[in-house]
Structure formats: C-alpha cells, structure tokens
Amino acid sequence: MSGRLFGVGVGPGDPQLLTLKAASLIRQARHVAYMVNGEGGSMARTIAAGFIAEGAHEIAISMPMRAGPEAVGAAYDAAAARIAGVLDEGRDVVVLCEGDPLFYGSFIYLQARLAGTAAIEIVPGIASPMAGAAALGQPLCARDGTLTVLPATLAEPVLRERIAAADAAVIMKLGRNFAKLRRVLDELGLAEKAGFVERATWPDQRICRLADAPNEPSYFALVIVSKGEGAWT
Amino acid sequence: MSGRLFGVGVGPGDPQLLTLKAASLIRQARHVAYMVNGEGGSMARTIAAGFIAEGAHEIAISMPMRAGPEAVGAAYDAAAARIAGVLDEGRDVVVLCEGDPLFYGSFIYLQARLAGTAAIEIVPGIASPMAGAAALGQPLCARDGTLTVLPATLAEPVLRERIAAADAAVIMKLGRNFAKLRRVLDELGLAEKAGFVERATWPDQRICRLADAPNEPSYFALVIVSKGEGAWT
C-alpha cells in the first residue's frame, strides 16, 4: 500500500504563521521534501526548519533557474519519480510549500504527476496577499467588491488592462518587473492608492508607499492597489 | 496607555487551520470579541472555541441581518465604541475573524473606526479560496496566470463579463445567487471546469462537480473555475 503525499503550506515567512495542522504534520514527518533554488536555498525549508524532526529524511528538489519549459518539466519529472520511490515503499512524504500549495505553488506540478500514485492531502497555507494586506493594514476586498491577483511578469498592455478593470488588485512577482508596474500605476493614476510590501512577515519585512519603494525590490515583493472606499467606514 | 487591538484570522472552519500565532494570541486574550448573526451564532467563535481561555471576557457584536447601510454602519459604530471602552482601560482586545480579517472581513469596518484609538495588529488567516482549492485539489493559479475573486451577489451581466475575462475565478457568497451563477457558467461553457465546495474544512464539508451541487447551497459555498491547463503538467 502506497504512502500518502501531503502538500503542506508553510505560509509567507514567519514560522508562527504555520497552521497547527501544518506544524503537526511536519513534526511527525519522516520524509520531508522541498524545492531548492539554483543557489541551494529553500524558502519553504527555512520557514519550517524549527518543526522538522531530527533524523527526518530530506528530499531537496533542485529546480534549474532561468531554464526553458522542457528542462523545468524534466526536473519535475525527476522530482516526482524520487518522491514516488518513497511513496511506493509505503512511506508518507510531506512536501513543504511556501505560502499556499495551490496558489502559484510548485506543488501543482508535483500533484499533477503523482495524482495516480498516491492519496494526496493538501493543507492550505497563508498566502502572501493576505500576509501583505495584514502588514499594510490595507483591506483586500469587501462586500460586493472583487479582487484580482496578477503577476507583474505579464506584458505591460495586459497588466494595464487588467489593473484598470479590477476593483482591487494584488500584483506579485515584482523583482525586475517593478519599473513596468510603476509606469502602469502612474498612467492609471493609481500610484497613490498602492501599498508596497517586501518579504512580508520576515524579520527584514519592508512596508511603504509605492513612491518610497526601492527601484529593484525582491521577487517576493507585492503591491496592493485599493480603488474603492470601504463601505460603512 | 491604550490597549492593543488584534484582528485575528481563525481560518475557514477546521480549528487545526488556525495559525500558531492566532492560537497563542487567543489563548492569552482576556478580552475576545466576535460578530454574531441574527440567530446569535458566531462562526468565528465556533472555530476558535477550544482556544478561548476560561474566564475570558467575551464581546459579542450583533449585526442586524438584511438591514440597510445606515443600520449596519450604526451597529459597527456601537461595536467600535464598546471595544474602544476596553482599549481605553489599557486592555488588549482580540477580535476573532473567520477566514482572513481583510478578505471580505467585518474587521475592515472595525479597523476603520478604531485606527486612531489604538495600535492595531492583524494576523492573517487561511482564506476560503485556499481552503476550497485544497479540498478540491484544484490549482488556483500558476506561472503567469491571474486569479479573480468575485461574489455571486454581483448583477448577472457583471458576473458574466468578469468570469469571461478571468484566467481562473473563485466565486464566493453563493446561497440564493447560485442559480444565477450556474446560468452564467453554462453560457460561458465553463460548467465542466468548475469545482464546488460547501463549508470547506468543516465536518460536513461537501465537494463535488458543479452539475452535482445542490440547488440552494450555503452562503459559505464557493465555486472555483480553472480555464487553462497547468503548464508543465
């Protein structure tokens, strides 16, 4: 009988923002997997480090940086095969996922490959828009309002059109796309209604108005644009 | 010196989906506030019940149901005044918020009224789109994809237009608006790409395909529409 696969959200950064369920599952896990970047770092492992049991087997999944879809797909295939090997021995595997597993998460690609192999349980995590809004004290949406989440990696005309059409917007994945986003928000007259958060809930969290944001923020920075006044306020 | 106001997300339903930080703050709280509906029930208090200390002072905030904006605004004014009375005595108040405090949350209206009175800290919570996606195993967004969250309370043409324009959509607040949403999804040819979740993570959680959903689901039901194929899958 196959082991179970758990996709566990570990939240945006502060280890106290793990859920009780996530903390409990990680503490009990004998096999813990996570993504590592090109430099060997793992944000998810860093967040969850205090909960990983001594002697747990760790499966570090290297993803090639700035690689094409084929190389990335092959890396996910290889990662899924490694995890399947453990599951096939009847052992559970907990995959640590920064933020929420199904919100811009790598777990989506592992799940797609392992869906036929094992029972899968997903534990939601605090996603960065909620963490960013909390840090700024800026509402995401209320009453009949809508919320659009979009990556700054989109082409500038698409970004402009989507933000123009939204009631409120969270723009993620800033990094080198920040100058483009600033132009769009200036053109739309929304710069004054935008809050900036970098590395929400980490010790080096930075929050400010858009005008005071650094020119080249982290990839893990986001902007929240609120257009409406909150009703009843 | 004024006490501090904490807006604490308690997540979608399962008490194990409170964050460690939320559980700790609630356990230590001497003054706990929450909204109650017309029948005297409080979803947030039900979720957090096991963490409220014996002898904690509870501030139950009654909100009029099906009332106009003026009556609702007056109820928030009165609630803020009650909480301010405690804060003015130098005591902290923890406000329990189902889901996330700033994502369609009542806390938005309390915060707006108390911002000048006290230091405010917001603890993000698991929001229902993430809990619903986890229950369905259905990704919310990936790579350059966008996500639109919208309430089914919107007028039918607006709902249609917004869902048509979205890459992926989460439609919330179903209840009596569900027939309207079904029509829209049928017209857009998206019914087959929609997953339905009612009371995500509660013991009576129900997940199914849209076609199998009940005609009058709970207000706390949502639909997730995924249009694209996940890349790399």
Side-chain angles (χ1 to χ4, degrees):
Chain A
M1 182 156 166
S2 172
R4 290 166 299 167
L5 178 65
F6 294 91
V8 175
V10 299
D14 178 355
Q16 290 298 304
L17 292 179
L18 264 77
T19 63
L20 299 167
K21 187 168 187 175
S24 169
L25 279 168
I26 297 166
R27 283 195 188 101
Q28 293 168 40
R30 304 296 308 148
H31 296 269
V32 174
Y34 44 82
M35 300 286 154
V36 296
N37 63 25
E39 288 81 46
S42 167
M43 179 175 280
R45 194 198 182 286
T46 301
I47 295 168
F51 305 99
I52 299 173
E54 211 170 315
H57 301 276
E58 301 195 22
I59 304 169
I61 302 169
S62 289
M63 295 307 294
M65 303 299 281
R66 285 181 272 285
E70 280 182 31
V72 174
Y76 278 117
D77 289 344
R82 277 178 74 188
I83 291 171
V86 180
L87 295 169
D88 287 346
E89 292 168 1
R91 302 173 202 280
D92 296 347
V93 177
V94 165
V95 181
L96 308 177
C97 310
E98 68 239 34
D100 178 84
L102 298 177
F103 181 77
Y104 295 113
S106 302
F107 187 76
I108 293 168
Y109 309 113
L110 295 176
Q111 174 187 243
R113 286 165 171 77
L114 293 165
T117 307
I120 299 178
E121 182 176 347
I122 298 170
V123 179
I126 302 290
S128 58
M130 283 72 189
L136 288 166
Q138 187 173 344
L140 289 168
C141 45
R143 301 193 70 200
D144 287 348
T146 69
L147 174 67
T148 304
V149 181
L150 60 173
T153 50
L154 292 170
E156 191 160 338
V158 180
L159 206 54
R160 189 185 301 110
E161 182 192 3
R162 295 294 183 100
I163 295 173
D167 293 340
V170 176
I171 305 103
M172 319 226 336
K173 307 189 184 193
L174 299 190
R176 66 183 69 188
N177 301 291
F178 191 47
K180 175 174 63 180
L181 173 63
R182 271 187 149 154
R183 279 196 302 275
V184 166
L185 293 176
D186 281 337
E187 286 165 19
L188 295 173
L190 292 171
E192 289 298 308
K193 303 201 169 190
F196 171 91
V197 195
E198 190 171 39
R199 292 174 62 78
T201 81
W202 290 82
D204 56 351
Q205 167 184 293
R206 178 170 180 170
I207 64 173
C208 60
R209 302 194 61 89
L210 193 71
D212 301 321
N215 284 327
E216 287 201 25
S218 153
Y219 183 79
F220 295 101
L222 59 80
V223 161
I224 302 177
V225 179
S226 308
K227 292 187 193 173
E229 310 302 316
W232 299 331
T233 60
Chain B
M1 181 157 165
S2 171
R4 289 166 302 167
L5 178 66
F6 293 91
V8 175
V10 300
D14 178 355
Q16 290 298 305
L17 291 179
L18 264 77
T19 62
L20 299 168
K21 187 168 186 174
S24 170
L25 279 168
I26 297 166
R27 284 196 187 102
Q28 295 168 40
R30 304 297 307 148
H31 295 268
V32 174
Y34 46 82
M35 299 285 154
V36 297
N37 63 25
E39 287 82 46
S42 167
M43 178 175 282
R45 193 197 184 286
T46 300
I47 295 168
F51 305 98
I52 299 174
E54 210 171 316
H57 302 275
E58 301 194 22
I59 305 170
I61 302 168
S62 291
M63 296 306 296
M65 303 299 281
R66 283 181 274 283
E70 277 182 34
V72 174
Y76 277 116
D77 288 344
R82 275 178 76 188
I83 291 171
V86 180
L87 295 169
D88 288 346
E89 293 168 1
R91 301 173 204 278
D92 296 346
V93 177
V94 166
V95 181
L96 307 177
C97 310
E98 68 239 33
D100 177 85
L102 299 177
F103 181 79
Y104 297 113
S106 301
F107 187 75
I108 293 168
Y109 310 113
L110 294 177
Q111 175 187 242
R113 287 165 171 78
L114 292 166
T117 307
I120 300 178
E121 182 176 348
I122 298 170
V123 179
I126 302 290
S128 59
M130 284 71 190
L136 288 166
Q138 187 174 344
L140 289 168
C141 46
R143 300 193 72 200
D144 288 347
T146 69
L147 174 68
T148 304
V149 181
L150 59 176
T153 49
L154 292 170
E156 192 160 340
V158 179
L159 205 55
R160 190 185 302 110
E161 181 192 4
R162 295 293 183 103
I163 295 173
D167 293 339
V170 176
I171 306 103
M172 319 222 342
K173 308 190 183 191
L174 299 191
R176 67 182 68 186
N177 301 291
F178 190 48
K180 175 174 64 177
L181 174 63
R182 271 187 148 154
R183 280 196 301 274
V184 166
L185 293 176
D186 280 337
E187 286 166 17
L188 294 174
L190 292 171
E192 288 299 307
K193 303 200 170 190
F196 171 91
V197 194
E198 190 171 41
R199 292 175 61 81
T201 82
W202 290 82
D204 56 351
Q205 167 184 293
R206 178 170 182 171
I207 64 174
C208 60
R209 301 195 60 90
L210 193 70
D212 302 321
N215 284 328
E216 287 201 24
S218 152
Y219 183 79
F220 296 102
L222 59 81
V223 161
I224 302 179
V225 178
S226 308
K227 292 187 191 174
E229 310 303 314
W232 300 331
T233 60

